[in-house]
Amino acid sequence: MNPSAVARMPGVLTVFAAAGTLAVAVVLCLSGLGPTASSIGLAAVMGWFCLPGVVLGLTLYRGQPGRGLAAWLLGPAAGYVLSSLVLLALWAAGVRRPVILASVPLVAGLAAWLLGRLAGGLTIPRFDRRDIVAVCLLLLLVPLVVGLPYAHVGRTLPEGRAYRAYFTADFVWAMAVVSEVSKGDMPPRNVFYRGDDLRYYWLAHLLPAVEHRAARSALRVEQLLLVNDFSIGLAFVGFLYLFIRHFVRSPGAAAAACVAVVLFSSFEGAEFLYRLWKTGGPLTAVLDTNIDAVSRWKYESMPVDGLQRVLLYQRQHELGYILGLSALLLLVQARERITAGALFLAGCLLGMALLLSSFAAMMLTAIVAVYAGVRLVIGRQWRTIVAGAAAASLPMFGALGLSSILRYVDGAGPLVAIGLNRTASRNAGMAILLSFGPMLLAAAAGLLVSVWKRTLGRFAVLLVMIAVCWLFYFFVDVPEHQHVYVGWRASHLLFIAFAAFCGYALQELWAAGRAARIATVAVSFVVALAAAPMVVIDLYNSQDTSNRSMGPGFRWTVILSPDELAALEWIKRNTSPRALVQIEPESRGRDTWDYIPAFAERRMAAGLPISMIPLRKYEVASARIKSLYQATSADRAHALAAETCIAYLVIGPPERQGYPGLQPLLDASPDQFMPLFRNSSVAVYGVVSLPAVCSGEAGRPERGAGED
């Protein structure tokens, strides 16, 4: 055997061992999300739709050592969105055949190859087998973080199907979006407001919507979404490593920084435990606490979510962050001169980010613009400033135009306010220390080391990123989101920037000698010990479907009883997909606001969505629905239902408790409200004789079709 081959063998075996461990963990996690074969098949579809981004990376980094790994770390998000854009074009053209839609990545791959040829002269870190091992081991973070929470989404229990409270805000809303988009209307309709378009950036949900349409009832929406979310989580963690490696030479230090920013980012858990100990409170109080929001509920300041929650709930923001930061990396990789071609490609990536996570894209665009402007001025590239600005603007204006065509934004009023955000400034010192403390300390160490080593210039882009994010954190607001939305988006980007400084500190201190290593390990252990409670508590709570306590205005675990599941299934099978099926929004509150759109897959005439802004029009429309449920005569109730084209009225436990007189009224008027389904918990009534204008929103009820 060749001696050099023998020398390389331990490294090769290590790579195979790391890759094998990751493969086993991924398969086990996918198996917990549904039938193993189906989950693996869905993951394969995701991989196929992400593949054009790998083509983009291979083309961008041609001739660079280690370009294969770099392409796989950079590309999945770009590939997914490029494929989604091609899919969108076919979808808008009325193409619905799965065979044709499955060929989308072939067209997207060609577009990726053409885009990749625009930016030349890029330099990436030199990747080797150590990076492959580091990435494989690092990706184990994803099943570690999401494995149990995902396995417990929609968990079947003796008393029904359980959904943990955190997921009712993000995941269950995604179920409603996928269900609506799958119906094929372009643009999709607003499931909470009759006659309106879906005011939400839904492009990230198009692929699972197509899968849902193709699978019909063979797979629940939950499985489609969970497998897609899991796959995007792998892409996010892989990209995080790629980003940090541009500032950190050591694969081990880069991977350690990634672990730190995901698992050890906040002191909020430790602070809460300390207050329990000081006041003699029960330890079980942690089970009834949104532990990653102590800064909000205790100190009335800006809430900050750690990156573990990005992995759990926020697929569209993960993709947006990757795309926007990819645009920034392109400029970092253009170490000598930034070309107009590179700026055009950066604009394409930012435009794609805008279609997925609009506000994050705003911040990332500002970061890219400031960094590119400074680089171009310092390099005296006067012509490129004008040409590059025009080149970058073209795809971004195109994305804005597309978002307008898709009716993403409700133009009822200004959505963003400029000025001091009083929520962010209230108790800012304590809130920032608790929310960012561990990573702030690590980033400060990295900053000091870079000054000591005289390498601060290498981190100029991170300093720009941090400065812009803090400006947004304190001086930009989305008032309709309780003045806290900007904090979530800005904090995630801050954490990523802090992680790069953290990795640099670990790298340099480890190389500084034995004493520095011992001190680094000791300090890191103490900080990690203080930071660990937040993520440990958060991950436990996010999978704990046994908690039946009430939270602040909602139940920690929402249980859909067997009676409710039977009623929801009856609605799916026996009503028109475009029928308006109504519950009373106010009585549902923050628990089951998405009850009908997510679980029955039907639209409502009005609802109170916590995910859409501005909220005022939904409140006005929902007040009209409340009048219907308060009606004291069948004629009045029927007139209100007909006025809003409601085809079906649902009476569940909240409606029966809040409006006990309505169901007897409906039962006494079968000529106006036809009883269609009834069990001990839920009744469904068909509204008879709707006006002709409602023909597209009414079903064809048959008397007694589902009575027990």
Side-chain angles (χ1 to χ4, degrees):
M1 183 178 289
N2 189 315
S4 62
V6 175
R8 289 195 302 267
M9 190 169 294
V12 173
L13 291 176
T14 303
V15 170
F16 275 104
T21 302
L22 175 63
V24 170
V26 167
V27 170
L28 288 174
C29 195
L30 289 174
S31 298
L33 308 182
T36 303
S38 298
S39 295
I40 292 175
L42 290 169
V45 171
M46 274 293 292
W48 171 235
F49 272 72
C50 291
L51 197 58
V54 180
V55 173
L56 173 66
L58 291 172
T59 309
L60 277 175
Y61 305 139
R62 54 191 179 275
Q64 291 284 312
R67 69 167 183 155
L69 179 61
W72 279 101
L73 297 179
L74 175 84
Y80 183 86
V81 181
L82 282 172
S83 295
S84 295
L85 287 170
V86 178
L87 188 63
L88 176 65
L90 293 174
W91 195 253
V95 177
R96 300 292 184 267
R97 293 183 62 184
V99 173
I100 297 176
L101 297 177
S103 66
V104 156
L106 297 175
V107 179
L110 177 60
W113 179 77
L114 293 172
L115 285 172
R117 299 184 67 83
L118 293 174
L122 302 181
T123 303
I124 60 174
R126 183 179 293 273
F127 294 105
D128 57 28
R129 285 196 299 269
R130 294 176 304 160
D131 289 283
I132 298 174
V133 173
V135 168
C136 289
L137 296 179
L138 181 62
L139 290 179
L140 292 172
L141 269 179
V142 179
L144 174 66
V145 169
V146 308
L148 276 178
Y150 278 12
H152 289 181
V153 171
R155 186 182 185 188
T156 301
L157 301 174
E159 61 268 43
R161 194 182 297 163
Y163 294 85
R164 179 66 189 191
Y166 299 161
F167 287 97
T168 61
D170 292 285
F171 184 81
V172 178
W173 167 235
M175 289 171 58
V177 174
V178 167
S179 299
E180 174 57 31
V181 174
S182 73
K183 294 170 186 173
D185 291 334
M186 279 296 296
R189 310 305 292 163
N190 192 334
V191 295
F192 293 105
Y193 196 88
R194 176 179 171 261
D196 194 18
D197 298 314
L198 183 59
R199 306 294 185 168
Y200 187 77
Y201 31 82
W202 51 266
L203 181 64
H205 299 85
L206 181 55
L207 176 59
V210 172
E211 292 174 324
H212 181 46
R213 185 184 179 96
R216 300 186 184 275
S217 59
L219 296 171
R220 294 215 316 251
V221 178
E222 288 102 310
Q223 186 184 7
L224 298 172
L225 278 170
L226 289 170
V227 173
N228 279 264
D229 289 358
F230 179 79
S231 303
I232 291 170
L234 292 173
F236 179 75
V237 172
F239 177 82
L240 182 62
Y241 177 85
L242 174 71
F243 184 85
I244 293 173
R245 268 288 272 125
H246 279 74
F247 308 97
V248 179
R249 294 188 311 276
S250 165
C258 292
V259 172
V261 77
V262 173
L263 298 184
F264 306 106
S265 62
S266 167
F267 289 137
E268 288 171 293
E271 192 271 354
F272 188 79
L273 291 175
Y274 171 74
R275 278 194 287 115
L276 284 182
W277 171 77
K278 190 174 180 180
T279 59
L283 186 60
T284 53
V286 300
L287 303 178
D288 298 323
T289 301
N290 184 352
I291 199 67
D292 205 8
V294 167
S295 57
R296 181 181 187 185
W297 302 121
K298 170 62 178 176
Y299 295 97
E300 300 180 333
S301 191
M302 187 73 82
V304 168
D305 278 353
L307 294 186
Q308 86 283 354
R309 288 199 171 178
V310 179
L311 291 175
L312 284 169
Y313 322 123
Q314 300 168 8
R315 67 195 315 267
Q316 69 273 26
H317 298 310
E318 286 180 281
L319 291 167
Y321 297 153
I322 296 172
L323 290 165
L325 292 172
S326 295
L328 193 61
L329 275 189
L330 281 179
L331 306 186
V332 172
Q333 292 164 357
R335 300 192 186 278
E336 296 183 4
R337 293 176 67 83
I338 296 176
T339 65
L343 288 169
F344 176 77
L345 181 53
C348 290
L349 292 168
L350 288 168
M352 288 190 283
L354 186 69
L355 293 169
L356 299 174
S357 179
S358 305
F359 196 88
M362 287 173 53
M363 285 191 292
L364 287 159
T365 298
I367 295 165
V368 169
V370 171
Y371 178 69
V374 171
R375 282 277 307 272
L376 291 172
V377 168
I378 291 175
R380 298 184 179 183
Q381 294 182 250
W382 311 118
R383 293 182 180 178
T384 307
I385 290 176
V386 177
S393 298
L394 283 174
M396 295 193 65
F397 279 121
L400 282 171
L402 181 57
S403 68
S404 178
I405 292 170
L406 297 177
R407 311 295 299 276
Y408 273 7
V409 179
D410 195 329
L415 304 181
V416 176
I418 307 298
L420 181 65
N421 185 329
R422 297 191 180 278
T423 300
S425 62
R426 189 181 298 120
N427 296 316
M430 178 59 74
I432 290 171
L433 175 63
L434 291 178
S435 297
F436 296 98
M439 295 311 298
L440 265 180
L441 293 174
L447 185 63
L448 291 174
V449 170
S450 68
V451 172
W452 172 45
K453 293 281 188 178
R454 298 182 180 179
T455 57
L456 187 59
R458 184 189 307 173
F459 303 99
V461 65
L462 297 179
L463 296 176
V464 169
M465 187 172 165
I466 290 169
V468 169
C469 288
W470 282 127
L471 282 172
F472 271 80
Y473 183 94
F474 282 107
F475 296 104
V476 182
D477 188 18
V478 181
E480 288 277 349
H481 269 299
Q482 302 176 337
H483 309 286
V484 299
Y485 184 82
V486 179
W488 289 323
R489 305 286 82 81
S491 63
H492 293 154
L493 296 177
L494 284 168
F495 276 130
I496 292 170
F498 293 161
F501 274 117
C502 172
Y504 183 71
L506 292 173
Q507 170 187 280
E508 297 303 316
L509 292 172
W510 192 260
R514 186 169 180 270
R517 289 184 184 182
I518 293 173
T520 300
V521 170
V523 172
S524 298
F525 177 78
V526 172
V527 173
L529 194 64
M534 191 279 288
V535 166
V536 171
I537 294 169
D538 198 46
L539 294 184
Y540 179 84
N541 284 345
S542 64
Q543 60 81 48
D544 178 19
T545 54
S546 66
N547 189 339
R548 301 293 186 267
S549 303
M550 280 295 298
F554 58 87
R555 291 167 290 175
W556 287 115
T557 302
V558 174
I559 302 290
L560 299 182
S561 70
D563 280 354
E564 290 179 291
L565 292 172
L568 293 165
E569 187 63 26
W570 183 90
I571 292 170
K572 281 197 290 187
R573 292 185 180 277
N574 294 278
T575 66
S576 165
R578 291 168 178 79
L580 297 183
V581 180
Q582 192 63 50
I583 53 173
E584 199 288 293
E586 189 173 303
S587 65
R588 293 284 171 171
R590 297 172 63 193
D591 273 338
T592 50
W593 56 277
D594 209 9
Y595 188 73
I596 293 298
F599 299 106
E601 301 189 20
R602 294 296 178 265
R603 301 163 183 166
M604 299 196 298
L608 291 171
I610 64 175
S611 51
M612 299 169 75
I613 57 175
L615 192 59
R616 180 58 183 163
K617 74 177 188 181
Y618 300 100
E619 292 173 335
V620 171
S622 294
R624 196 76 174 155
I625 301 301
K626 184 175 181 178
S627 298
L628 189 163
Y629 277 79
Q630 290 174 326
T632 55
S633 73
D635 289 341
R636 173 64 174 161
H638 187 272
L640 289 171
E643 178 184 300
T644 49
C645 294
I646 294 171
Y648 302 90
L649 279 178
V650 176
I651 307 290
E655 289 82 12
R656 191 173 292 114
Q657 180 178 353
Y659 310 97
L662 181 63
Q663 188 166 358
L665 195 70
L666 302 184
D667 287 334
S669 307
D671 56 325
Q672 293 175 301
F673 297 96
M674 185 186 303
L676 299 172
F677 177 93
R678 186 192 303 269
N679 58 32
S680 59
S681 298
V682 184
V684 181
Y685 296 85
V687 181
V688 179
S689 301
L690 290 177
V693 71
C694 301
S695 59
E697 297 164 308
R700 296 180 179 274
E702 296 180 3
R703 184 180 300 273
E707 292 184 8
D708 284 355

